Amino acid sequence: MTIQVGEKVPSATLKYLSPEGPKDITTDELFRGKKVALFAVPGAFTPTCSQRHLPGYVDKAAELKAKGIDQIACVAVNDAFVMGAWGKAQNAGDKVLMLADGSGDFTRAVGMELDLRSRGLGVRSDRYSMIVEDGVVKAFNREKPGQFEVSSAEAMLKAL
């Protein structure tokens, strides 16, 4: 079942790459007391994700924060090392928190699995964005297959 507006984000543990190596962050820690713009991509270093999705959030980070977003986070079913390298390659810096959902536990919990085994990519995350305030989903935008419209940074800015 896909998560819906008004629901609490399920408890899960994600990882990010710190200077000391991979670190855990729970969804409770990520969302508690904050307004978070979270977006998910099928995979780091993939074409649409690298050419449009992540760069849009990096470029629009200041505008999103000016509209009340405390944290911008990108999640993908990749490991923390890949997410760290992708963030570095995309100059995400401290603008976008690059979160690894290596086993897809968070992705499964929110009902956003995308089966790409036929393409040799395994089970990934579908492309979406959401605004989460203090752990509750306030807006949710799932892309239609093969599309990139409703989950962009520009669309999120318009929604704010």
Side-chain angles (χ1 to χ4, degrees):
M1 176 79 73
T2 303
I3 195 163
Q4 302 292 314
V5 170
E7 293 181 345
K8 186 175 183 333
V9 174
S11 293
T13 300
L14 300 161
K15 292 192 181 290
Y16 64 95
L17 190 62
S18 77
E20 298 81 38
K23 299 279 185 188
D24 289 350
I25 185 168
T26 66
T27 51
D28 293 334
E29 292 168 322
L30 177 63
F31 298 120
R32 185 183 313 116
K34 293 182 239 157
K35 187 173 187 177
V36 179
L38 181 137
F39 66 102
V41 298
F45 293 104
T46 57
T48 300
C49 306
S50 291
Q51 294 166 8
R52 297 173 62 202
H53 211 167
L54 177 55
Y57 280 92
V58 171
D59 292 343
K60 303 288 184 190
E63 292 174 61
L64 287 162
K65 290 183 179 181
K67 288 199 169 208
I69 296 296
D70 298 305
Q71 176 76 64
I72 302 166
C74 173
V75 65
V77 180
N78 286 111
D79 64 68
F81 296 104
V82 168
M83 292 301 286
W86 188 40
K88 187 175 182 180
Q90 292 285 326
N91 298 311
D94 62 355
K95 295 176 183 177
V96 178
L97 180 60
M98 304 299 290
L99 296 173
D101 184 22
S103 298
D105 295 337
F106 175 76
T107 299
R108 255 187 315 285
V110 295
M112 292 301 294
E113 285 183 300
L114 177 64
D115 188 345
L116 295 175
R117 288 180 286 197
S118 66
R119 294 187 188 165
L121 297 172
V123 178
R124 302 291 184 109
S125 174
D126 211 344
R127 186 181 306 281
Y128 66 93
S129 70
M130 63 175 142
I131 297 172
V132 180
E133 287 186 47
D134 198 23
V136 177
V137 178
K138 297 296 184 179
F140 183 79
N141 306 293
R142 182 180 198 163
E143 293 289 356
K144 292 179 181 168
Q147 297 295 305
F148 176 65
E149 296 169 6
V150 300
S151 66
S152 70
E154 293 80 4
M156 185 164 287
L157 274 169
K158 288 178 188 171
L160 293 169

